[in-house]
Each structure stands twice: as C-alpha cells, then as structure tokens.
C-alpha cells in the first residue's frame, strides 16, 4: 500500500487514540506524514563507556554494569532514590527525584545504563538514567545512531515520547522498503547527486552511519526548499503575467528642477544607482515590487522623494506611508523642507510638487479638504500613517506607493492600497532592517532588492562601547562632557508587553535618576503609553534642543532624526535583540559630530548575550548584524519578520545555515519554471502533484505578497 494512503492508526503500536493525538499535535494522519517527522538529534549508541572514562557533562554515555545497592533518601518533596552502580571496576551514583514509586530496581543483574553524567559533590552521577536489562537488549540492533524526536506535553502524557516515536518509525521501515513514489525527478537526483526518497527516509530515521545520515538530511532539505521556491516563483510569474504596471517613462520638469535647483548636496553613488534601478522598473510595463534596503542614515527619504517626482512627471500621484505618526510628521517635514527652498535660498512654497500630510490627528475639516485635493489631482505626494488606506481616501491617479519600515504593515493593508487605482500602483518598500539574502529569497520570492550600501560623506562611524552597570559614574561623566560640548543624549529602556509594569517603573526610575544626576540639565521622557499629543510634545522639546536628555522606550527606535544627539545609552542592553540594538544605534551618528552608543548590561552574561554585545562593538554593518542575528536567534524570532512570520513551516532546512542548498534549490526551481511556467509538461506532473499535496497541508501560501 502507498504509505500516503496508509492511515497512521493502523500502524502497529499506534491505534485510534494515539492517532488522534498525532493528528492534533503534529498534523500527522498518514504513515508518510509520520515519516516526515524528522529526528532533531541522534545519540551514538555504538560506544560503551567505562565509568573511569567519563569526562564530559554534556555527552550521553552508556555503561554496562550492575546495581550494587539502592536506598530512598529524604522525605516528601525532597525525596530521592539513589543507587550505586558498578561496571565491575568503578562505581557511579544513579539518582531519581521523580516517579520513584514506579521504579523496580533489581540488584545483581546486568543493565545497560544510559544518560548524561553530571558532577555533584565532586563526584559523577547520572540523574534519571534509562535502564534496560542487558538480557533483553539485542546488542546487534542496539547500535549506531539513535534518533530523538520532539514531542509535546500532550503527547508525553499519552506515553508518546521520543522512544515510542522511534518504535513507530521502526514499524514503518518494513513497508518503506517496498519503495515510495519519488518527489524529485531522476534528472534532479542525478544532477545534484541526491539520495533517493526511500533511502533518505530510511537513513534520516535509522542511519547506517553518519555519512548516510548527512546525505539523507541534505536531500530532504533540498526537497523542502525546492518546493517552497517552486511555489513562490510560480506565484510571482503568474502575478507578473497577469498584472500590468503603469508605464512611467518620462523624466520631466519636477525631477529635473529639483535635481538641478533644489538638491542641497550631491547624491551618493549608491543613491544614484538605486534611483536608476527603480526608474527602470517604473519605465517598464511591469508592476514594480521592490525592496529598498539601506542602513539608517543612508538617505532613503531623499530617494523616495525623487521617485515620487518621477511619478509626478508622468502624471501620477504618490503616497508615502510611515508606521507611526511621529515618523509621518518627520517625513512630511523633511520633504517639505527639501521642496521649499531652492539653491538661491528662495522660499518657493512647494512649486516643484505639492506634499500633504494625513494622519490620525488630521481634523475632519482638513481631511475633507485633502480628500478633494487628492481627487482633483492637486496633491502630488501624500504622506501619512494607516489613515491613508481608509476607503474614503481616493486618489485621482495613484501610481506609486512607498512604504517605510514595511514590517509594521500587514499584507491585508497592502492589498487595500492596490485597489486604489485600475492597475496596482508600483510599490517600493523601504527598510533599514537588512534582510539576509536567504530570508529575502524565501519570504519575498522575486521581490527585487535595491541596496544603498554607502553613507553620505562626512559621517563618522559610530563608536560602540559595552559597559557593565557598575561603571555608571564613568558614563555619567562622559554624558556631562558631551552635553557641555553642546550635544544631546538618548537613554533607552526596554519595554515589553509581558513585563510592562516593571519596565515602566524602570523607565520612570531612570528618568528620576537622570534628573538627580544632572540637575543642571533638562530631561524629557517618552514612552508608548503616553497620549500621542504628549509624546509628540516631549519629542519636540528634545528635537528643538530645549531638553538635553531624552529618556525613552523603544518608541524612538524607528526613524527619529535629531542630528545633534550624539550619545545613545541603552539600558539593560542584554534584553534587546541584535537588529533592535542596531536600529537604536542608528538614532545617533546623523550629524557631523563623533557619536557614541553605550550598551549597559549586568555583569554576568550568557554566552549568547556576550556574543551579541561583541558583534555590536565590532561592526556597524547592518548586514553582518542581520546575518549574526539570524544565526543566533533563528528566523522565527528575527525582528522585522516577527509579525508576519514565515509563511510556511520548515521541518528540516534552516535559513540560518542552509543558504547554499537554498540557492541551488532555487536555481533548479527557476529552470523548471522558465521552461514550463504552468507545469504542464508530462515530466513536470510530479511537481504539480507534490505542490498539490503540500497545499493540502494547510500551508498559507497566500501570505506571500
Ligand atoms: P534614512 O531614512 O535612510 O535613515 P535619511 O533619509 O533620514 O536616512 O537621511 C539621513 C540624513 O542624511 C538626512 O539628514 C538627509 O538629508 C541626509 N542626506 C541624504 N542624502 C544625502 C547625501 N547624498 N549627502 C548628504 N546628506 C544626505
Ligand atoms: Mg528614514
């Protein structure tokens, strides 16, 4: 019988009740589904240890020997069962703290003990070891790499632990040997030298040796990534074929006037390049979907403006969406200031293009005026927040949508924007969170990417320093020195939802501390729980230099621009992720002065935290930081994708470490689709069927825009 038709409940050792749990907890209904539950690790059972050879706390050992004696010690919750176990030469203690009443130890018979040794009272012991009677173990099969499976609490309480998962897998090896329908063509298998499916599934569960296990893993990772790429690329091709984009071939008066008479500095090489890339898209009849990545301070806003001017030159309107009101305001100010004074210093009142602002605080009256001016085409560029996508906001001819810091916008919201004109407008997503290439490829498929990899001239790289809390005096001196030089200082505290109350207390204590330490200066405070109006007022005081110190939560993370602020102090830096620290750091170094980022942590740090701090100190390169972040935390936690999450589950491949396999799988998928976009050729039926099967497994491919 095809394993994809075999209901898991009929497999020996499963039955209806466990089948129900497997379905609910793992989504497994067939024998084939079960075989795709891969081990997360293997333990080498080929080696037997002598007690005196034990050296490591982290390595599992198995020992053959006998229990000499055992006794229960302590009472109540502190009770434990302790046994003396001898391998004939030395002894080790075995100890159990739970489930003591179920243990039936026999003295003088031979056991295989299996577990992780640890040191207690200067001596080795093994807590909660596995015990098997030696006479019951077939030493022939008890060898090699033992698979270990992830299980949930619900599974465990129905005695579906890793061991019983392994037993079920063992039951499936027999029918598996009869062979499975292959999911990759013979051509792909040969070309990339991949193990076939039947062999791979055998070897992923019960590898004959490490090499075969690795080959099996490689093949299964390839399969997983290949089908994800095939699906994404197919969707992209369809979209390209179906949607027409607005053609914007002209470079006209708005763009040229601005470029020649207004632009107060020369564009960086990188800015010029990305503008050309974007323009090429806008000129073609394809609808643009482009990600513009550029580190904080790299000048993305200006690029956005110049693209909007190109749109205007072709008779189209642009909207620029920001995630927060503060940011929308700031963009608005930046754009109007760029547009309101030409090189001769003449105030021209936006004669190049008309920019307006629409946010939650726009009054009803202003709103009505804006709506009218949008509809009759008087407004060229509308800057705003979510308020922009309300249905009441209609454009005469929206042609370009620019989204700043995309991760705060949902897919549904983007879809709404698409419906504001007969064709979907071109979309440019700007982000300062560098997205590692592997992730961008997987999540965004063929989304084109432009990178501004150059900062405007004259910027001094930010110096990053890491200190423990104990060095506060030194840091306060430094702050004072900087303020005396005329600079301003950010002090940022973490604030997370789960710990909101305590975090706010920390923040307020921090505020009080700063006012006490610096009575001669003025201190502002902002946090997300303040009313928008108060928050803006406090921000404004800092931005205008009335206050010298701003104590804040991460509300200032994105986009706030106060060039005179040259010091960023991050309190409890251990609680921030790498990307977030990098974003925060980007708030300084925006002026001509040398800037500093000071990371404060407690003294004792975990290995990972120390690594994070070291990376921050070592580099200002956002891409290196994003790669490191992906490696340290895994893609699920990566800031910027957190909200949407990956639109599929990865069972075996890892975006952090399998970049190469991903590239190969992607090339393979692309070649197939270039040749046969709808997978209609007979030799590609295989792929179509497998895509269909994967779709049945409730993967929400629609998440990919
Ligand atoms: P981003 O949004 O990429 O973080 P901004 O657009 O806010 O960066 O630009 C940061 C600062 O650099 C702004 O003050 C901007 O006016 C300035 N700037 C942008 N491009 C240039 C350039 N080519 N030369 C000099 N300064 C620039
Ligand atoms: Mg910006």
């Amino acid at each position: 019988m095809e394993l994809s038709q075999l209901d898991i409940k009929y497999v020996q050792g499963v039955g209806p009740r466990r089948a129900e749990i497997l379905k609910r907890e793992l989504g497994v209904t067939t024998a084939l589904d079960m075989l795709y539950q891969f081990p997360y690790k293997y333990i080498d059972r080929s080696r037997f240890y002598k007690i005196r050879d034990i050296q490591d706390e982290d390595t599992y050992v198995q020992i053959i020997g006998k229990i000499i004696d055992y006794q229960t010690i302590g009472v109540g919750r502190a009770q434990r069962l302790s046994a003396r176990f001898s391998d004939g030469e030395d002894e080790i203690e075995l100890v159990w703290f739970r489930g003591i009443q179920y243990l039936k130890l026999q003295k003088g018979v031979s056991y295989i003990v299996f577990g992780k040794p640890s040191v207690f009272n200067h001596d080795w012991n093994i807590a909660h070891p596995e015990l098997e009677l030696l006479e019951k173990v077939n030493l022939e099969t008890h060898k090699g790499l033992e698979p270990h499976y992830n299980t949930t609490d619900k599974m465990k309480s129905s005695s579906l632990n890793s061991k019983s998962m392994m037993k079920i897998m063992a039951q499936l090896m027999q029918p598996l040997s009869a062979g499975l329908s292959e999911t990759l063509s013979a051509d792909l298998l040969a070309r990339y030298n991949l193990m076939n499916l039947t062999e791979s599934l055998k070897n992923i569960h019960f590898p004959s040796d490490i090499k075969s296990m690795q080959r099996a893993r490689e093949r299964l990772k390839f399969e997983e990534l290949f089908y994800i790429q095939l699906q994404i690329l197919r969707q992209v091709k369809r979209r390209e074929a179906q949607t027409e984009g607005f053609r914007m071939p002209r470079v006209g008066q708005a763009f040229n006037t601005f470029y020649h008479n207004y632009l107060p500095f020369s564009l960086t090489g990188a800015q010029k390049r990305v503008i050309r890339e974007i323009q090429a898209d806008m000129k073609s009849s394809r609808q643009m979907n482009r990600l513009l990545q550029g580190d904080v301070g790299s000048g993305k806003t200006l690029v956005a403006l110049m693209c909007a001017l190109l749109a205007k030159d072709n008779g189209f309107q642009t909207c620029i969406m920001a995630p927060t009101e503060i940011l929308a305001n700031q963009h608005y100010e930046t754009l109007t200031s760029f547009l309101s004074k030409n090189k001769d210093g003449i105030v021209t009142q936006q004669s190049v293009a008309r920019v307006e602002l629409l946010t939650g605080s726009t009054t009803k009256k202003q709103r009505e005026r804006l709506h009218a001016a949008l509809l009759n085409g008087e407004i060229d560029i509308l800057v705003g927040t979510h308020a922009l996508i309300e249905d009441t906001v209609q454009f005469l001819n929206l042609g370009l949508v620019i989204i700043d810091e995309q991760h705060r916008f949902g897919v549904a919201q983007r879809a709404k924007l698409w419906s504001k004109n007969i064709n979907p407008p071109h979309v440019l997503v700007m982000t300062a969170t560098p997205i590692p290439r592997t992730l961008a490829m997987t999540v965004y498929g063929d989304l084109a990417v432009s990178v501004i990899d150059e900062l405007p001239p004259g910027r001094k790289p930010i110096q990053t320093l890491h200190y423990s809390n104990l060095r506060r005096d030194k840091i306060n001196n430094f702050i004072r020195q900087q303020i005396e030089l005329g600079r301003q200082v950010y002090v940022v505290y973490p604030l997370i939802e789960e710990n909101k109350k305590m975090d706010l207390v920390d923040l307020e204590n921090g505020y009080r501390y700063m006012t006490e330490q610096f009575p001669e200066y003025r201190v502002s405070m902002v946090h997300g729980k303040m009313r928008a109006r108060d928050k803006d007022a406090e921000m404004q005081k800092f931005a205008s230099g009335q206050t010298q110190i701003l104590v804040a939560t991460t509300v200032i993370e994105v986009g706030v621009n106060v060039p005179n602020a040259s010091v960023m102090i991050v309190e409890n830096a251990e609680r921030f992720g790498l990307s977030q620290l990098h974003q925060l750091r980007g708030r300084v170094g925006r002026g001509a002065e040398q800037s500093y980022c000071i990371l404060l942590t407690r003294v004792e740090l975990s290995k990972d935290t120390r690594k994070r701090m070291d990376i921050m100190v070592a580099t200002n390169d956002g891409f290196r930081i994003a790669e490191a972040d992906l490696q340290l935390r895994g893609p699920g936690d990566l800031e910027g994708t957190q909200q949407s999450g990956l639109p599929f589950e990865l069972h075996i491949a890892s975006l952090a470490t399998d970049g190469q396999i991903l590239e190969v799988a992607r090339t393979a998928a692309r070649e197939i689709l270039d040749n046969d976009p709808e997978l209609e050729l007979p030799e590609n039926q295989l792929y179509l069927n497998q895509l269909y099967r994967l779709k049945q497994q409730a993967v929400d491919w629609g998440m990919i825009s």
Side-chain angles (χ1 to χ4, degrees):
M1 187 192 255
E2 273 279 331
L3 287 169
S4 60
Q5 306 294 321
L6 175 58
D7 190 326
I8 190 71
K9 79 175 166 220
Y10 300 122
V11 174
Q12 200 185 347
V14 182
R17 201 178 55 89
R18 282 173 151 192
E20 196 47 47
I21 291 162
L22 285 172
K23 176 161 187 201
R24 215 173 340 125
E25 297 294 301
L26 302 177
V28 166
T29 56
T30 69
L32 189 60
D33 296 341
M34 188 68 184
L35 285 166
Y36 270 85
Q37 304 296 314
F38 304 132
Y40 68 96
K41 69 169 182 192
Y42 303 85
I43 288 167
D44 188 353
R45 303 288 301 243
S46 59
R47 169 167 182 202
F48 287 94
Y49 276 75
K50 281 300 193 181
I51 291 169
R52 80 166 70 91
D53 294 334
I54 294 175
Q55 285 175 350
D56 258 329
E57 285 207 309
D58 281 332
T59 319
Y60 281 88
V61 299
Q62 53 183 356
I63 311 162
I64 297 181
K66 294 178 179 164
I67 289 172
I68 297 174
D69 200 3
Y70 60 87
Q71 64 184 122
T72 311
I73 304 166
V75 286
R77 291 174 127 267
Q79 204 174 47
R80 67 178 200 272
L81 174 63
S82 163
R84 278 166 52 219
F85 184 80
S86 161
D87 64 5
E89 288 158 28
D90 301 278
E91 285 183 19
I92 191 168
E93 185 195 11
L94 309 179
V95 57
W96 289 265
F97 304 97
R98 279 166 278 118
I100 296 170
Q101 63 274 30
Y102 306 115
L103 277 169
K104 305 234 175 336
L105 301 181
Q106 301 178 43
K107 282 189 234 178
V109 275
S110 291
Y111 282 105
I112 295 181
V113 160
F114 177 75
K116 224 193 253 185
S118 53
V119 177
F120 181 73
N121 268 345
H122 309 291
D123 224 340
W124 290 107
N125 74 15
I126 304 181
H128 287 267
E130 266 175 40
L131 274 185
E132 286 176 293
L133 284 170
L134 182 61
E135 58 172 31
K136 291 208 174 159
V137 175
N138 178 348
L139 281 179
E140 270 316 299
T141 56
H142 182 95
K143 251 191 195 160
L145 299 169
E146 182 185 85
H148 281 244
Y149 298 89
N150 276 318
T151 54
T152 64
D153 285 343
K154 287 230 173 65
M155 288 169 68
K156 284 195 196 89
S157 65
S158 300
S159 65
L160 264 170
N161 53 19
S162 174
K163 250 245 141 82
S164 37
M165 290 286 284
M166 180 175 90
K167 284 187 182 146
I168 297 171
M169 296 302 180
Q171 287 295 327
L172 295 174
M173 288 302 114
Q174 190 71 42
L176 176 60
S177 292
L180 264 181
S181 1
E182 182 48 72
T183 56
L184 299 173
S185 71
D187 175 49
L188 281 186
L189 292 180
R191 186 136 49 110
Y192 297 109
N193 185 24
L194 298 169
M195 198 181 241
N196 75 37
L197 181 58
T198 304
E199 282 305 304
S200 300
L201 287 177
K202 272 190 202 165
N203 277 293
I204 193 87
H205 294 292
F206 300 103
S208 43
D209 51 58
I210 289 185
K211 189 110 205 292
S212 321
M213 182 263 282
Q214 282 165 343
R215 295 249 302 139
R217 286 179 65 80
E218 197 180 297
R219 138 80 209 217
L220 292 164
K221 285 175 176 183
F222 180 93
E223 174 182 316
E224 182 166 72
L225 295 169
F226 170 78
Y227 276 102
I228 288 170
Q229 291 304 312
L230 196 65
Q231 180 62 27
I232 292 175
L233 293 179
R234 187 158 165 245
Q235 207 138 313
V236 168
K237 273 194 185 290
R238 273 198 191 153
R239 191 182 62 209
E240 278 179 7
Q242 283 164 9
T243 53
E244 193 152 329
F246 291 118
R247 285 200 65 218
M248 306 187 187
R250 284 225 319 252
V251 181
Q253 198 193 344
F255 187 92
N256 284 325
T257 309
F258 178 76
Y259 188 70
H260 296 295
N261 300 334
Y262 284 70
L263 192 58
F265 35 67
S266 24
L267 294 176
T268 64
Q271 283 172 320
K272 284 187 193 157
R273 174 170 44 75
V274 302
I275 291 172
R276 271 200 302 273
E277 287 166 2
I278 294 164
Q279 203 217 344
D281 279 2
M282 290 168 62
K283 225 164 41 181
S284 80
S285 53
R286 267 178 308 123
Q287 182 237 351
M288 173 173 80
N289 260 301
R290 190 171 275 277
L291 185 68
L292 175 59
Q293 300 192 347
D295 222 336
V296 280
S298 59
K300 295 185 292 295
T301 317
L302 182 59
V303 171
L305 171 61
M306 296 189 65
C307 296
L309 296 178
L310 279 174
K312 176 182 160 70
D313 280 337
N314 289 275
F316 290 93
Q317 293 163 298
T318 297
C319 73
I320 301 181
M321 299 211 296
T324 65
E325 196 152 333
I326 294 182
L327 269 178
N329 278 317
Q330 202 171 289
H331 279 323
Y332 174 73
E333 308 258 310
T334 309
L335 297 189
T336 43
S337 80
F338 269 131
L339 290 172
S340 62
K341 232 189 329 184
N342 69 16
K343 279 185 186 156
D344 307 325
I346 296 166
V347 179
T348 52
Q349 294 302 335
Q350 304 193 18
S351 67
V352 175
R354 179 166 161 200
V355 186
E356 294 289 348
L357 177 70
L358 177 63
T359 66
S361 6
T362 309
T363 63
K364 195 154 172 267
K365 221 162 157 198
Q366 286 169 305
R367 214 173 259 259
E368 278 161 11
R369 255 204 315 253
L370 284 178
H371 287 171
L374 276 173
L375 261 181
N376 66 25
E378 283 168 25
I379 295 176
D380 302 303
I381 303 172
L382 182 64
V383 180
T385 53
H386 292 72
L388 272 184
I389 55 176
E390 281 166 26
D391 291 328
T392 46
V393 183
Q394 294 294 334
F395 295 78
L396 176 67
N397 195 14
L398 179 66
L400 173 63
V401 174
I402 299 175
I403 302 174
D404 196 13
E405 301 299 343
Q406 106 286 355
H407 57 275
R408 318 253 157 150
F409 278 104
V411 172
Q413 292 165 318
R414 249 186 279 173
K416 239 180 167 173
L417 273 167
W418 276 40
S419 59
K420 288 198 184 288
N421 207 341
I422 37 169
N423 286 344
H426 295 301
V427 177
L428 181 69
V429 176
M430 304 197 291
T431 178
T433 311
I435 300 174
R437 194 174 143 66
T438 45
L439 198 60
M441 266 167 59
T442 321
V443 179
Y444 297 104
D446 251 8
L447 189 83
V449 179
S450 288
V451 182
I452 308 184
D453 49 6
E454 181 185 356
L455 292 181
R459 298 267 172 82
K460 295 195 183 72
I462 302 163
Q463 268 189 41
T464 303
L465 307 156
H466 170 210
Y467 286 110
S468 90
N469 282 322
L470 305 178
R471 309 289 297 278
R472 234 167 248 287
D473 282 348
K474 179 184 159 96
I475 287 154
N476 286 343
N477 285 337
F478 177 72
I479 292 176
R480 182 164 288 112
Q481 199 187 332
Q482 285 287 307
I483 299 178
E484 276 165 17
L485 287 170
R487 320 270 190 271
Q488 288 163 283
V489 178
Y490 293 107
V491 184
V492 177
Y493 283 82
L495 190 153
I496 54 165
E497 207 46 39
E498 297 89 82
N499 197 29
K500 206 166 50 189
K501 272 213 182 108
M502 281 313 296
D503 283 351
L504 278 175
V505 171
D506 274 1
L507 179 80
E508 271 159 20
N509 285 339
Y511 173 73
R512 207 163 326 125
Y513 175 80
M514 292 311 273
T515 51
E516 283 163 13
Q517 289 292 315
F518 299 97
E520 69 273 42
Y521 298 124
R522 299 188 54 197
V523 187
S524 287
M525 173 166 71
V526 292
H527 55 78
K529 295 283 160 271
M530 287 162 79
R531 285 188 313 182
R533 191 154 17 101
D534 299 341
K535 201 160 60 183
D536 284 354
E538 283 294 297
M539 270 309 304
Q540 207 46 51
K541 274 195 218 156
F542 185 68
S544 65
Q546 283 177 62
T547 58
Q548 289 78 35
I549 299 172
L550 175 67
V551 177
T553 58
T554 48
V555 290
I556 63 153
E557 178 186 340
V558 184
V560 175
N561 192 15
V562 181
N564 191 49
S566 68
V567 182
M568 163 69 59
I569 313 263
V570 184
E571 294 276 354
N572 302 322
E574 64 268 33
R575 288 180 50 198
F576 290 97
L578 267 179
S579 303
Q580 210 175 8
L581 288 173
H582 182 63
Q583 288 293 308
L584 285 170
R585 177 166 61 184
R587 295 309 105 212
V588 296
R590 307 177 78 82
E593 309 306 333
Q594 175 64 56
S595 292
Y596 303 88
C597 173
I598 297 172
L599 307 171
L600 287 176
T601 64
R602 49 172 192 265
V603 182
E604 296 284 341
L605 295 177
S606 72
K607 226 159 78 189
D608 274 4
T609 308
R610 185 158 294 283
K611 250 193 220 152
R612 284 208 303 276
M613 298 307 132
D614 290 350
I615 291 167
M616 286 299 296
V617 170
T619 183
N620 278 316
D621 181 339
F623 279 91
R624 269 187 64 193
I625 289 171
E627 295 284 354
D629 201 27
L630 186 60
Q631 305 232 329
L632 281 174
R633 302 173 10 134
D637 294 336
L638 198 78
E639 288 157 52
T641 52
Q642 213 161 24
Q643 281 89 342
S644 56
L646 288 174
F648 41 77
E649 250 182 281
L650 290 176
H651 292 285
I652 185 162
S654 145
L655 293 183
T657 52
D658 295 326
Q660 271 187 327
I661 302 182
L662 176 61
E663 301 246 5
V664 176
R666 180 178 173 83
T667 309
R670 189 197 292 281
E671 281 173 12
I672 290 166
L673 288 171
D674 281 348
N675 212 10
D676 181 16
E678 283 302 317
L679 301 177
E680 290 160 338
L681 296 174
E683 68 261 33
N684 290 334
Q685 286 320 292
L686 162 77
Y687 301 127
L688 205 58
N689 292 341
Q690 180 70 359
L691 282 180
Y692 182 74
R693 202 179 81 80
L694 293 173
K695 216 171 199 159
Q696 298 302 92
Q697 293 176 348
V699 180
D700 187 4
W701 300 103
M703 289 283 296
I704 302 161
S705 61

Coordinates of all heavy atoms in Angstrom, one line a residue, residues 297 300-301 327 331 404-405 430 559 590, ligand 2:
G297 N 20.2 56.3 8.1 CA 21.0 57.4 7.7 C 21.6 57.4 6.3 O 22.4 58.3 5.9
K300 N 17.4 57.3 2.5 CA 16.3 56.7 1.8 C 15.2 57.7 1.5 O 14.5 57.6 0.4 CB 15.8 55.5 2.6 CG 16.8 54.3 2.7 CD 16.1 53.1 3.4 CE 15.8 53.3 4.8 NZ 17.0 53.6 5.7
T301 N 15.0 58.6 2.4 CA 13.9 59.5 2.2 C 14.1 60.3 1.0 O 13.1 60.6 0.2 CB 13.8 60.5 3.5 OG1 14.0 59.7 4.6 CG2 12.5 61.2 3.5
L327 N 6.8 59.5 12.8 CA 7.6 59.3 11.6 C 6.9 60.0 10.4 O 7.6 60.6 9.6 CB 7.7 57.9 11.3 CG 9.0 57.2 11.9 CD1 9.0 55.8 11.6 CD2 10.2 57.9 11.3
H331 N 8.7 62.7 8.1 CA 8.8 62.6 6.6 C 8.3 63.9 5.9 O 8.8 64.4 5.0 CB 8.1 61.4 6.1 CG 8.9 60.1 6.2 ND1 10.2 60.1 6.1 CD2 8.5 58.9 6.5 CE1 10.6 58.8 6.3 NE2 9.6 58.1 6.5
D404 N 7.4 52.9 4.3 CA 8.6 53.0 5.1 C 8.5 51.9 6.2 O 7.5 51.8 6.9 CB 8.7 54.4 5.7 CG 10.1 54.7 6.2 OD1 11.0 53.9 5.9 OD2 10.3 55.7 6.9
E405 N 9.6 51.2 6.4 CA 9.7 50.2 7.5 C 8.6 49.2 7.4 O 7.7 49.2 8.2 CB 9.7 50.9 8.9 CG 10.8 51.9 9.1 CD 12.2 51.2 9.0 OE1 12.3 50.0 9.1 OE2 13.1 52.0 8.8
M430 N 10.6 50.5 1.9 CA 12.0 50.9 2.4 C 12.2 50.3 3.7 O 11.3 50.4 4.6 CB 12.0 52.4 2.5 CG 11.7 53.2 1.2 SD 12.2 54.9 1.3 CE 11.1 55.6 2.5
G559 N 13.5 55.7 12.8 CA 13.4 56.9 12.0 C 13.5 58.2 12.7 O 13.6 59.2 11.9
R590 N 24.0 61.0 13.1 CA 23.3 61.6 12.0 C 23.8 63.0 11.7 O 23.3 63.6 10.8 CB 21.8 61.6 12.3 CG 21.3 60.2 12.6 CD 19.8 60.2 13.0 NE 19.0 60.2 11.8 CZ 18.7 59.2 11.0 NH1 19.2 58.0 11.3 NH2 17.9 59.3 10.0
Ligands
LIG2 MG1 14.2 57.0 7.3

